[in-house]
Amino acid sequence: ACKTIENITAQSQSAGHLLATAPTWKWLLDAFLNDGKESYINTAAVALSHVCKLNPSLFNYVIEYIPIEDIISILVEGQSRIQQAFITMVNIALLNKNELLLRTINDSCDALAKAVVNLLENQSLVVRGKALLTVVLLLKHFPLQWFTLFLNDKKFITLVDRLTKDSYKYVQYGLMHFIDQINITMPIILDVIEEDLTYAGSVGDTKDLEIDSIVEKVMDRRRDFKNLRGHMTLISLVLVAVTSNLLKSRIVTEHFLEVISNLLNRWEPSLFLGADEFTNAVLAIIESISSTQKTLFNNSIPIIQHTLPALMNKLRSESNDVKFMSLKVFTDITIQYIYDESMFDANKLEL
């Protein structure tokens, strides 16, 4: 019976809708939870995902009978077909803004993030593609929190860059949507960083900065920027993003460069606790940008208008480390421009 329902719901929408009912769903769910035979469990899971696609509201029964913690365990430890079935149902629920799921995932966001990241290196191409879609949908619903959770995972950027080698169209479309969502999310991240930096610079302190609880929990585990407070800690994750071969050429835009240059130009490293770490992170972001010639030349106008003057300004910094790093990055950029004939022609100089 499970196999019959799986086949009908997969092949015929009109007939499938007749089966996409609560009684059918509960029967399949009971078969999945209580039938000891592995083949029945696999078939029931796949049939559940097909029925969920036809009638997304039925996903509430999954949350009711299978807690989010158990769903995450299935995504981590389940067989490939069952993982695929459940990641499909989670995506359908996210796509349809299932309120019950959106309310419950925050309590298990750490575990869910790790599970989804692990699925990005699953042996199944389909599972990898669906996991990438999960990343996109979570970023869409909770951009600040899930940007923090995913980018803080050391494997995440490496795995995403690796997905560019997959020829499967589903994965490639997922990467396109991922890039689009990061481009939507990045201005949100830069805005909250800039707001907290402005406050810290105006009062000379960071102790009263408010921060999202999930972001605070994640960023407290980072030791590379231990003195930063509030959303300024997210500058370390912006640095992670620009080290990605996939993201760097996409997120570095005129607006991005203008904001980053402004962040560098705002305060002296000695102004408040953590300001030196923040300045070094911004300089590291610009240095990463300068290491990719295509990105450097595609954004030559905003770099010349905003970034190079900000670096020159830092040559007057009180910190010798900041002055050295600023000079190094300024030189790295200008040398590449000077040695490119399309950018600089010494014969046309007017003396």
Side-chain angles (χ1 to χ4, degrees):
C2 279
K3 192 66 178 178
T4 302
I5 295 172
E6 178 193 350
N7 290 335
I8 292 173
T9 52
Q11 297 172 15
S12 172
Q13 280 203 359
S14 57
H17 276 292
L18 297 175
L19 292 170
T21 61
T24 304
W25 180 270
K26 289 180 179 179
W27 186 85
L28 289 170
L29 197 58
D30 183 67
F32 174 77
L33 293 173
N34 301 315
D35 200 308
K37 293 185 178 180
E38 185 177 306
S39 59
Y40 285 171
I41 293 173
N42 289 345
T43 302
V46 175
L48 281 169
S49 69
H50 291 167
V51 172
C52 183
K53 184 177 181 180
L54 294 166
N55 187 353
S57 65
L58 293 175
F59 184 79
N60 285 339
Y61 289 112
V62 174
I63 296 292
E64 183 179 343
Y65 289 97
I66 308 178
I68 187 67
E69 295 82 6
D70 292 344
I71 292 176
I72 293 170
S73 294
I74 291 169
L75 295 178
V76 174
E77 301 170 356
Q79 294 187 1
S80 184
R81 286 192 74 201
I82 297 177
Q83 287 177 322
Q84 181 177 329
F86 271 82
I87 198 69
T88 298
M89 286 188 279
V90 169
N91 286 345
I92 291 169
L94 289 171
L95 196 60
N96 287 276
K97 302 178 182 179
N98 184 285
E99 293 183 3
L100 187 57
L101 177 64
L102 295 176
R103 285 200 306 268
T104 56
I105 57 175
N106 280 344
D107 294 332
S108 305
C109 56
D110 266 339
L112 179 57
K114 290 177 183 176
V116 173
V117 171
N118 286 335
L119 289 177
L120 291 175
E121 55 181 342
N122 193 279
Q123 291 184 348
S124 167
L125 265 172
V126 177
V127 172
R128 293 201 296 270
K130 288 180 180 290
L132 186 58
L133 179 57
T134 309
V135 171
V136 173
L137 292 170
L138 288 169
L139 282 169
K140 185 175 182 179
H141 286 296
F142 307 103
L144 188 63
Q145 293 91 334
W146 286 94
F147 178 90
T148 306
L149 286 160
F150 285 128
L151 271 293
N152 192 56
D153 190 302
K154 293 180 179 179
K155 295 196 302 182
F156 178 72
I157 285 296
T158 301
L159 293 175
V160 169
D161 281 343
R162 191 183 298 171
L163 288 176
T164 59
K165 299 176 182 178
D166 281 337
S167 58
Y168 184 47
K169 285 187 177 181
Y170 192 90
V171 174
Q172 294 303 315
Y173 287 140
L175 287 171
M176 289 171 56
H177 288 293
F178 172 68
I179 292 167
D180 289 342
Q181 191 57 49
I182 288 293
N183 279 329
I184 293 170
T185 305
M186 188 58 71
I188 298 171
I189 303 301
L190 294 176
D191 283 346
V192 295
I193 291 173
E194 196 165 22
E195 286 175 10
D196 280 9
L197 180 63
T198 300
Y199 175 83
S202 62
V203 301
D205 201 351
T206 60
K207 63 181 181 180
D208 294 327
L209 288 174
E210 296 181 358
I211 188 171
D212 177 88
S213 59
I214 294 176
V215 175
E216 183 176 29
K217 180 181 176 182
V218 174
M219 298 311 294
D220 278 348
R221 296 198 293 263
R222 293 187 69 93
R223 298 180 179 179
D224 45 353
F225 296 91
K226 59 183 178 180
N227 289 321
L228 283 180
R229 295 291 182 270
H231 292 107
M232 286 190 295
T233 56
L234 294 176
I235 196 68
S236 63
L237 300 186
V238 177
L239 175 57
V240 171
V242 297
T243 62
S244 163
N245 294 326
L246 173 70
L247 293 179
K248 184 186 296 185
S249 61
R250 274 81 170 188
I251 64 175
V252 178
T253 61
E254 182 174 356
H255 175 261
F256 180 90
L257 288 165
E258 187 174 351
V259 173
I260 289 296
S261 303
N262 186 44
L263 293 178
L264 179 63
N265 223 7
R266 294 283 287 277
W267 313 111
E268 268 297 305
S270 60
L271 190 59
F272 57 87
L273 182 65
D276 55 338
E277 294 178 353
F278 186 87
T279 302
N280 289 334
V282 176
L283 286 169
I285 289 170
I286 300 173
E287 182 182 32
S288 178
I289 294 170
S290 72
S291 67
T292 306
Q293 192 176 65
K294 181 179 178 181
T295 305
L296 201 62
F297 281 80
N298 285 346
N299 297 279
S300 58
I301 293 176
I303 287 174
I304 291 171
Q305 290 179 341
H306 304 293
T307 309
L308 291 181
L311 290 169
M312 284 292 292
N313 187 50
K314 283 300 170 187
L315 296 179
R316 297 190 291 269
S317 172
E318 299 170 1
S319 166
N320 288 330
D321 289 341
V322 170
K323 284 192 285 189
F324 171 79
M325 189 63 175
S326 299
L327 181 60
K328 176 189 177 301
V329 179
F330 181 89
T331 305
D332 289 344
I333 295 172
T334 53
I335 284 177
Q336 293 183 70
Y337 285 163
I338 288 172
Y339 277 90
D340 188 272
E341 293 182 357
S342 65
M343 291 286 298
F344 178 79
D345 187 352
N347 295 323
K348 294 183 179 180
L349 283 176
E350 294 182 7
L351 302 177

